Amino acid sequence: MSGSAGSAPRVGVLSLQGDVREHAQVLTQLGAEVTLVRRASELAAVDGLVLPGGESTVIDKLSRSFGLQAPLREAIAAGLPVLGTCAGLILLADRLADGIAGQETFGGIDATVRRNAFGGQVESFEADLDVAIFEPPTVRAAFIRAPVIEEVGSSATALAALPDGRVVAAEQGNLLAMAFHPESTGETRFHRRFLDRVSSRV
Ligand code: GLN
């Protein structure tokens, strides 16, 4: 791994499609050195990776045409810290419901994620969530054509749920993922947790 004790964590944002800039801004503001990752050589040079929100079907297809799917799966299996939001959560799920034909994920989190779980009138909404791993205040969460975590397997841990009980954030080892967009509401605690993982692994 690159990086050395005391230097800024070197993290990447997967930059195939989606809200790359918002994540890069939050990470830079938190003191990280940010690289935009589009190829395997760039992935190999970072100590942690963010999978942004966007469109998981497009990110999946582009990751395969850019030769990134296999290196990403290997990096995840080797323990690379990864933060995934929305489409990023979908890409980190071991099992996918309501994917398009042929859609694949990178996997890593033992969970079933359903795409576009809030159809019709509530495609986008905000909610305040209790997240057990954080001190108050609650997390202001923006859901945009969001998925839900329909089933959490025994290797993963649910971190947050909507008032109706549907799980919207989970973690497993160095992987942390949520159905909402902390990067768009000024919520930095998930990114801090991710950067802590990166620093302790480097
Ligand atoms: N609906 C999108 C998908 O399937 C996710 C939406 C988002 O990332 N805001 O990938």
PDB file of all heavy atoms in Angstrom, residues 105-134:
ATOM      1  N   THR A 105     -22.752  -6.625  -9.708  1.00  0.00           N
ATOM      2  CA  THR A 105     -22.211  -5.750  -8.664  1.00  0.00           C
ATOM      3  C   THR A 105     -20.761  -6.168  -8.388  1.00  0.00           C
ATOM      4  O   THR A 105     -20.329  -7.229  -8.821  1.00  0.00           O
ATOM      5  CB  THR A 105     -23.026  -5.847  -7.360  1.00  0.00           C
ATOM      6  OG1 THR A 105     -22.816  -7.134  -6.764  1.00  0.00           O
ATOM      7  CG2 THR A 105     -24.512  -5.616  -7.613  1.00  0.00           C
ATOM      8  N   PHE A 106     -20.039  -5.298  -7.661  1.00  0.00           N
ATOM      9  CA  PHE A 106     -18.703  -5.704  -7.209  1.00  0.00           C
ATOM     10  C   PHE A 106     -18.853  -6.652  -6.022  1.00  0.00           C
ATOM     11  O   PHE A 106     -18.088  -7.577  -5.851  1.00  0.00           O
ATOM     12  CB  PHE A 106     -17.866  -4.483  -6.809  1.00  0.00           C
ATOM     13  CG  PHE A 106     -17.792  -3.431  -7.880  1.00  0.00           C
ATOM     14  CD1 PHE A 106     -18.033  -2.091  -7.586  1.00  0.00           C
ATOM     15  CD2 PHE A 106     -17.492  -3.784  -9.194  1.00  0.00           C
ATOM     16  CE1 PHE A 106     -17.965  -1.123  -8.573  1.00  0.00           C
ATOM     17  CE2 PHE A 106     -17.427  -2.819 -10.193  1.00  0.00           C
ATOM     18  CZ  PHE A 106     -17.665  -1.488  -9.879  1.00  0.00           C
ATOM     19  N   GLY A 107     -19.846  -6.397  -5.191  1.00  0.00           N
ATOM     20  CA  GLY A 107     -20.090  -7.230  -4.018  1.00  0.00           C
ATOM     21  C   GLY A 107     -19.133  -6.908  -2.880  1.00  0.00           C
ATOM     22  O   GLY A 107     -18.274  -6.017  -2.982  1.00  0.00           O
ATOM     23  N   GLY A 108     -19.302  -7.622  -1.782  1.00  0.00           N
ATOM     24  CA  GLY A 108     -18.454  -7.416  -0.605  1.00  0.00           C
ATOM     25  C   GLY A 108     -19.280  -7.347   0.661  1.00  0.00           C
ATOM     26  O   GLY A 108     -18.833  -7.750   1.722  1.00  0.00           O
ATOM     27  N   ILE A 109     -20.495  -6.791   0.549  1.00  0.00           N
ATOM     28  CA  ILE A 109     -21.375  -6.722   1.722  1.00  0.00           C
ATOM     29  C   ILE A 109     -22.443  -7.809   1.579  1.00  0.00           C
ATOM     30  O   ILE A 109     -23.153  -7.889   0.566  1.00  0.00           O
ATOM     31  CB  ILE A 109     -22.026  -5.326   1.867  1.00  0.00           C
ATOM     32  CG1 ILE A 109     -20.935  -4.272   2.103  1.00  0.00           C
ATOM     33  CG2 ILE A 109     -23.022  -5.329   3.028  1.00  0.00           C
ATOM     34  CD1 ILE A 109     -21.458  -2.867   2.367  1.00  0.00           C
ATOM     35  N   ASP A 110     -22.519  -8.645   2.609  1.00  0.00           N
ATOM     36  CA  ASP A 110     -23.439  -9.779   2.638  1.00  0.00           C
ATOM     37  C   ASP A 110     -24.863  -9.255   2.860  1.00  0.00           C
ATOM     38  O   ASP A 110     -25.367  -9.222   3.981  1.00  0.00           O
ATOM     39  CB  ASP A 110     -22.987 -10.716   3.774  1.00  0.00           C
ATOM     40  CG  ASP A 110     -23.904 -11.918   3.954  1.00  0.00           C
ATOM     41  OD1 ASP A 110     -24.705 -12.203   3.037  1.00  0.00           O
ATOM     42  OD2 ASP A 110     -23.799 -12.559   5.019  1.00  0.00           O
ATOM     43  N   ALA A 111     -25.482  -8.792   1.774  1.00  0.00           N
ATOM     44  CA  ALA A 111     -26.814  -8.191   1.878  1.00  0.00           C
ATOM     45  C   ALA A 111     -27.503  -8.241   0.522  1.00  0.00           C
ATOM     46  O   ALA A 111     -26.843  -8.351  -0.512  1.00  0.00           O
ATOM     47  CB  ALA A 111     -26.696  -6.726   2.322  1.00  0.00           C
ATOM     48  N   THR A 112     -28.826  -8.171   0.562  1.00  0.00           N
ATOM     49  CA  THR A 112     -29.619  -8.026  -0.664  1.00  0.00           C
ATOM     50  C   THR A 112     -30.110  -6.588  -0.734  1.00  0.00           C
ATOM     51  O   THR A 112     -30.745  -6.093   0.208  1.00  0.00           O
ATOM     52  CB  THR A 112     -30.851  -8.955  -0.647  1.00  0.00           C
ATOM     53  OG1 THR A 112     -30.400 -10.290  -0.434  1.00  0.00           O
ATOM     54  CG2 THR A 112     -31.613  -8.871  -1.963  1.00  0.00           C
ATOM     55  N   VAL A 113     -29.793  -5.900  -1.830  1.00  0.00           N
ATOM     56  CA  VAL A 113     -30.200  -4.506  -2.007  1.00  0.00           C
ATOM     57  C   VAL A 113     -31.183  -4.428  -3.170  1.00  0.00           C
ATOM     58  O   VAL A 113     -30.953  -5.004  -4.231  1.00  0.00           O
ATOM     59  CB  VAL A 113     -28.961  -3.613  -2.264  1.00  0.00           C
ATOM     60  CG1 VAL A 113     -29.384  -2.210  -2.685  1.00  0.00           C
ATOM     61  CG2 VAL A 113     -28.096  -3.541  -1.009  1.00  0.00           C
ATOM     62  N   ARG A 114     -32.291  -3.720  -2.932  1.00  0.00           N
ATOM     63  CA  ARG A 114     -33.287  -3.526  -3.996  1.00  0.00           C
ATOM     64  C   ARG A 114     -33.136  -2.130  -4.582  1.00  0.00           C
ATOM     65  O   ARG A 114     -33.215  -1.127  -3.854  1.00  0.00           O
ATOM     66  CB  ARG A 114     -34.713  -3.739  -3.461  1.00  0.00           C
ATOM     67  CG  ARG A 114     -35.785  -3.601  -4.557  1.00  0.00           C
ATOM     68  CD  ARG A 114     -37.172  -3.978  -4.062  1.00  0.00           C
ATOM     69  NE  ARG A 114     -37.270  -5.377  -3.674  1.00  0.00           N
ATOM     70  CZ  ARG A 114     -37.469  -6.404  -4.510  1.00  0.00           C
ATOM     71  NH1 ARG A 114     -37.598  -6.186  -5.803  1.00  0.00           N
ATOM     72  NH2 ARG A 114     -37.537  -7.635  -4.046  1.00  0.00           N
ATOM     73  N   ARG A 115     -32.943  -2.048  -5.893  1.00  0.00           N
ATOM     74  CA  ARG A 115     -32.837  -0.746  -6.578  1.00  0.00           C
ATOM     75  C   ARG A 115     -34.179  -0.034  -6.590  1.00  0.00           C
ATOM     76  O   ARG A 115     -35.221  -0.685  -6.634  1.00  0.00           O
ATOM     77  CB  ARG A 115     -32.403  -0.925  -8.037  1.00  0.00           C
ATOM     78  CG  ARG A 115     -30.951  -1.280  -8.238  1.00  0.00           C
ATOM     79  CD  ARG A 115     -30.651  -1.430  -9.738  1.00  0.00           C
ATOM     80  NE  ARG A 115     -30.804  -0.189 -10.462  1.00  0.00           N
ATOM     81  CZ  ARG A 115     -31.555  -0.042 -11.546  1.00  0.00           C
ATOM     82  NH1 ARG A 115     -32.246  -1.047 -12.027  1.00  0.00           N
ATOM     83  NH2 ARG A 115     -31.627   1.131 -12.150  1.00  0.00           N
ATOM     84  N   ASN A 116     -34.131   1.283  -6.629  1.00  0.00           N
ATOM     85  CA  ASN A 116     -35.315   2.127  -6.826  1.00  0.00           C
ATOM     86  C   ASN A 116     -36.487   1.657  -5.973  1.00  0.00           C
ATOM     87  O   ASN A 116     -37.599   1.458  -6.454  1.00  0.00           O
ATOM     88  CB  ASN A 116     -35.721   2.116  -8.315  1.00  0.00           C
ATOM     89  CG  ASN A 116     -34.612   2.633  -9.210  1.00  0.00           C
ATOM     90  OD1 ASN A 116     -33.722   3.356  -8.750  1.00  0.00           O
ATOM     91  ND2 ASN A 116     -34.630   2.276 -10.471  1.00  0.00           N
ATOM     92  N   ALA A 117     -36.217   1.486  -4.680  1.00  0.00           N
ATOM     93  CA  ALA A 117     -37.201   0.864  -3.792  1.00  0.00           C
ATOM     94  C   ALA A 117     -38.341   1.811  -3.417  1.00  0.00           C
ATOM     95  O   ALA A 117     -39.357   1.368  -2.889  1.00  0.00           O
ATOM     96  CB  ALA A 117     -36.495   0.372  -2.534  1.00  0.00           C
ATOM     97  N   PHE A 118     -38.145   3.120  -3.652  1.00  0.00           N
ATOM     98  CA  PHE A 118     -39.179   4.095  -3.293  1.00  0.00           C
ATOM     99  C   PHE A 118     -39.777   4.644  -4.582  1.00  0.00           C
ATOM    100  O   PHE A 118     -39.424   5.723  -5.031  1.00  0.00           O
ATOM    101  CB  PHE A 118     -38.589   5.233  -2.466  1.00  0.00           C
ATOM    102  CG  PHE A 118     -37.852   4.765  -1.244  1.00  0.00           C
ATOM    103  CD1 PHE A 118     -36.481   4.533  -1.287  1.00  0.00           C
ATOM    104  CD2 PHE A 118     -38.529   4.526  -0.061  1.00  0.00           C
ATOM    105  CE1 PHE A 118     -35.798   4.086  -0.169  1.00  0.00           C
ATOM    106  CE2 PHE A 118     -37.855   4.079   1.059  1.00  0.00           C
ATOM    107  CZ  PHE A 118     -36.495   3.859   0.999  1.00  0.00           C
ATOM    108  N   GLY A 119     -40.699   3.896  -5.186  1.00  0.00           N
ATOM    109  CA  GLY A 119     -41.221   4.309  -6.487  1.00  0.00           C
ATOM    110  C   GLY A 119     -42.200   5.460  -6.362  1.00  0.00           C
ATOM    111  O   GLY A 119     -42.493   5.951  -5.279  1.00  0.00           O
ATOM    112  N   GLY A 120     -42.698   5.933  -7.492  1.00  0.00           N
ATOM    113  CA  GLY A 120     -43.809   6.881  -7.539  1.00  0.00           C
ATOM    114  C   GLY A 120     -43.535   8.180  -6.830  1.00  0.00           C
ATOM    115  O   GLY A 120     -42.517   8.823  -7.058  1.00  0.00           O
ATOM    116  N   GLN A 121     -44.472   8.567  -5.951  1.00  0.00           N
ATOM    117  CA  GLN A 121     -44.453   9.914  -5.395  1.00  0.00           C
ATOM    118  C   GLN A 121     -43.263  10.188  -4.481  1.00  0.00           C
ATOM    119  O   GLN A 121     -42.901  11.329  -4.274  1.00  0.00           O
ATOM    120  CB  GLN A 121     -45.734  10.143  -4.586  1.00  0.00           C
ATOM    121  CG  GLN A 121     -46.983  10.112  -5.437  1.00  0.00           C
ATOM    122  CD  GLN A 121     -48.221   9.992  -4.585  1.00  0.00           C
ATOM    123  OE1 GLN A 121     -48.176   9.432  -3.498  1.00  0.00           O
ATOM    124  NE2 GLN A 121     -49.329  10.521  -5.082  1.00  0.00           N
ATOM    125  N   VAL A 122     -42.712   9.151  -3.878  1.00  0.00           N
ATOM    126  CA  VAL A 122     -41.648   9.405  -2.904  1.00  0.00           C
ATOM    127  C   VAL A 122     -40.283   9.032  -3.463  1.00  0.00           C
ATOM    128  O   VAL A 122     -39.438   8.521  -2.765  1.00  0.00           O
ATOM    129  CB  VAL A 122     -41.897   8.689  -1.556  1.00  0.00           C
ATOM    130  CG1 VAL A 122     -42.982   9.385  -0.780  1.00  0.00           C
ATOM    131  CG2 VAL A 122     -42.210   7.223  -1.755  1.00  0.00           C
ATOM    132  N   GLU A 123     -40.079   9.333  -4.744  1.00  0.00           N
ATOM    133  CA  GLU A 123     -38.780   9.019  -5.340  1.00  0.00           C
ATOM    134  C   GLU A 123     -37.645   9.716  -4.609  1.00  0.00           C
ATOM    135  O   GLU A 123     -36.572   9.177  -4.482  1.00  0.00           O
ATOM    136  CB  GLU A 123     -38.768   9.431  -6.799  1.00  0.00           C
ATOM    137  CG  GLU A 123     -39.472   8.428  -7.675  1.00  0.00           C
ATOM    138  CD  GLU A 123     -38.894   8.372  -9.070  1.00  0.00           C
ATOM    139  OE1 GLU A 123     -38.359   9.392  -9.519  1.00  0.00           O
ATOM    140  OE2 GLU A 123     -38.975   7.315  -9.689  1.00  0.00           O
ATOM    141  N   SER A 124     -37.903  10.952  -4.155  1.00  0.00           N
ATOM    142  CA  SER A 124     -36.869  11.686  -3.425  1.00  0.00           C
ATOM    143  C   SER A 124     -37.476  12.262  -2.152  1.00  0.00           C
ATOM    144  O   SER A 124     -38.575  12.804  -2.171  1.00  0.00           O
ATOM    145  CB  SER A 124     -36.317  12.821  -4.280  1.00  0.00           C
ATOM    146  OG  SER A 124     -35.699  12.297  -5.425  1.00  0.00           O
ATOM    147  N   PHE A 125     -36.755  12.127  -1.049  1.00  0.00           N
ATOM    148  CA  PHE A 125     -37.225  12.677   0.221  1.00  0.00           C
ATOM    149  C   PHE A 125     -36.044  12.781   1.174  1.00  0.00           C
ATOM    150  O   PHE A 125     -34.966  12.227   0.910  1.00  0.00           O
ATOM    151  CB  PHE A 125     -38.322  11.791   0.832  1.00  0.00           C
ATOM    152  CG  PHE A 125     -37.883  10.383   1.149  1.00  0.00           C
ATOM    153  CD1 PHE A 125     -37.501  10.026   2.438  1.00  0.00           C
ATOM    154  CD2 PHE A 125     -37.829   9.417   0.150  1.00  0.00           C
ATOM    155  CE1 PHE A 125     -37.081   8.724   2.725  1.00  0.00           C
ATOM    156  CE2 PHE A 125     -37.421   8.116   0.418  1.00  0.00           C
ATOM    157  CZ  PHE A 125     -37.043   7.772   1.705  1.00  0.00           C
ATOM    158  N   GLU A 126     -36.249  13.520   2.280  1.00  0.00           N
ATOM    159  CA  GLU A 126     -35.218  13.584   3.303  1.00  0.00           C
ATOM    160  C   GLU A 126     -35.773  13.036   4.604  1.00  0.00           C
ATOM    161  O   GLU A 126     -36.988  13.085   4.836  1.00  0.00           O
ATOM    162  CB  GLU A 126     -34.717  15.024   3.493  1.00  0.00           C
ATOM    163  CG  GLU A 126     -33.963  15.519   2.268  1.00  0.00           C
ATOM    164  CD  GLU A 126     -33.124  16.775   2.533  1.00  0.00           C
ATOM    165  OE1 GLU A 126     -33.015  17.202   3.699  1.00  0.00           O
ATOM    166  OE2 GLU A 126     -32.583  17.310   1.559  1.00  0.00           O
ATOM    167  N   ALA A 127     -34.933  12.503   5.446  1.00  0.00           N
ATOM    168  CA  ALA A 127     -35.368  11.954   6.726  1.00  0.00           C
ATOM    169  C   ALA A 127     -34.236  12.126   7.736  1.00  0.00           C
ATOM    170  O   ALA A 127     -33.066  12.231   7.358  1.00  0.00           O
ATOM    171  CB  ALA A 127     -35.706  10.469   6.578  1.00  0.00           C
ATOM    172  N   ASP A 128     -34.602  12.192   9.025  1.00  0.00           N
ATOM    173  CA  ASP A 128     -33.604  12.235  10.096  1.00  0.00           C
ATOM    174  C   ASP A 128     -33.465  10.830  10.659  1.00  0.00           C
ATOM    175  O   ASP A 128     -34.449  10.225  11.077  1.00  0.00           O
ATOM    176  CB  ASP A 128     -34.045  13.200  11.197  1.00  0.00           C
ATOM    177  CG  ASP A 128     -34.053  14.631  10.694  1.00  0.00           C
ATOM    178  OD1 ASP A 128     -33.018  15.059  10.137  1.00  0.00           O
ATOM    179  OD2 ASP A 128     -35.087  15.308  10.827  1.00  0.00           O
ATOM    180  N   LEU A 129     -32.244  10.342  10.673  1.00  0.00           N
ATOM    181  CA  LEU A 129     -32.008   8.949  11.074  1.00  0.00           C
ATOM    182  C   LEU A 129     -31.153   8.874  12.324  1.00  0.00           C
ATOM    183  O   LEU A 129     -30.154   9.588  12.452  1.00  0.00           O
ATOM    184  CB  LEU A 129     -31.254   8.204   9.965  1.00  0.00           C
ATOM    185  CG  LEU A 129     -31.883   8.161   8.571  1.00  0.00           C
ATOM    186  CD1 LEU A 129     -30.912   7.487   7.611  1.00  0.00           C
ATOM    187  CD2 LEU A 129     -33.208   7.407   8.613  1.00  0.00           C
ATOM    188  N   ASP A 130     -31.538   7.970  13.234  1.00  0.00           N
ATOM    189  CA  ASP A 130     -30.648   7.601  14.331  1.00  0.00           C
ATOM    190  C   ASP A 130     -29.648   6.591  13.794  1.00  0.00           C
ATOM    191  O   ASP A 130     -30.036   5.582  13.229  1.00  0.00           O
ATOM    192  CB  ASP A 130     -31.446   6.915  15.453  1.00  0.00           C
ATOM    193  CG  ASP A 130     -32.191   7.914  16.298  1.00  0.00           C
ATOM    194  OD1 ASP A 130     -31.581   8.946  16.664  1.00  0.00           O
ATOM    195  OD2 ASP A 130     -33.369   7.657  16.586  1.00  0.00           O
ATOM    196  N   VAL A 131     -28.376   6.888  13.963  1.00  0.00           N
ATOM    197  CA  VAL A 131     -27.349   5.939  13.529  1.00  0.00           C
ATOM    198  C   VAL A 131     -26.556   5.566  14.778  1.00  0.00           C
ATOM    199  O   VAL A 131     -25.864   6.412  15.361  1.00  0.00           O
ATOM    200  CB  VAL A 131     -26.450   6.561  12.443  1.00  0.00           C
ATOM    201  CG1 VAL A 131     -25.388   5.572  11.991  1.00  0.00           C
ATOM    202  CG2 VAL A 131     -27.291   6.998  11.238  1.00  0.00           C
ATOM    203  N   ALA A 132     -26.682   4.322  15.192  1.00  0.00           N
ATOM    204  CA  ALA A 132     -26.194   3.900  16.509  1.00  0.00           C
ATOM    205  C   ALA A 132     -24.703   4.163  16.717  1.00  0.00           C
ATOM    206  O   ALA A 132     -24.268   4.438  17.832  1.00  0.00           O
ATOM    207  CB  ALA A 132     -26.498   2.416  16.708  1.00  0.00           C
ATOM    208  N   ILE A 133     -23.923   4.116  15.650  1.00  0.00           N
ATOM    209  CA  ILE A 133     -22.471   4.290  15.799  1.00  0.00           C
ATOM    210  C   ILE A 133     -22.075   5.746  15.991  1.00  0.00           C
ATOM    211  O   ILE A 133     -20.914   6.022  16.274  1.00  0.00           O
ATOM    212  CB  ILE A 133     -21.719   3.713  14.581  1.00  0.00           C
ATOM    213  CG1 ILE A 133     -22.306   4.262  13.274  1.00  0.00           C
ATOM    214  CG2 ILE A 133     -21.750   2.181  14.589  1.00  0.00           C
ATOM    215  CD1 ILE A 133     -21.486   3.928  12.029  1.00  0.00           C
ATOM    216  N   PHE A 134     -23.003   6.692  15.815  1.00  0.00           N
ATOM    217  CA  PHE A 134     -22.678   8.119  15.969  1.00  0.00           C
ATOM    218  C   PHE A 134     -23.374   8.704  17.183  1.00  0.00           C
ATOM    219  O   PHE A 134     -24.501   8.346  17.505  1.00  0.00           O
ATOM    220  CB  PHE A 134     -23.110   8.916  14.730  1.00  0.00           C
ATOM    221  CG  PHE A 134     -22.444   8.482  13.446  1.00  0.00           C
ATOM    222  CD1 PHE A 134     -23.160   8.428  12.262  1.00  0.00           C
ATOM    223  CD2 PHE A 134     -21.095   8.149  13.413  1.00  0.00           C
ATOM    224  CE1 PHE A 134     -22.557   8.037  11.070  1.00  0.00           C
ATOM    225  CE2 PHE A 134     -20.476   7.759  12.235  1.00  0.00           C
ATOM    226  CZ  PHE A 134     -21.212   7.696  11.053  1.00  0.00           C
TER     227      PHE A 134
END
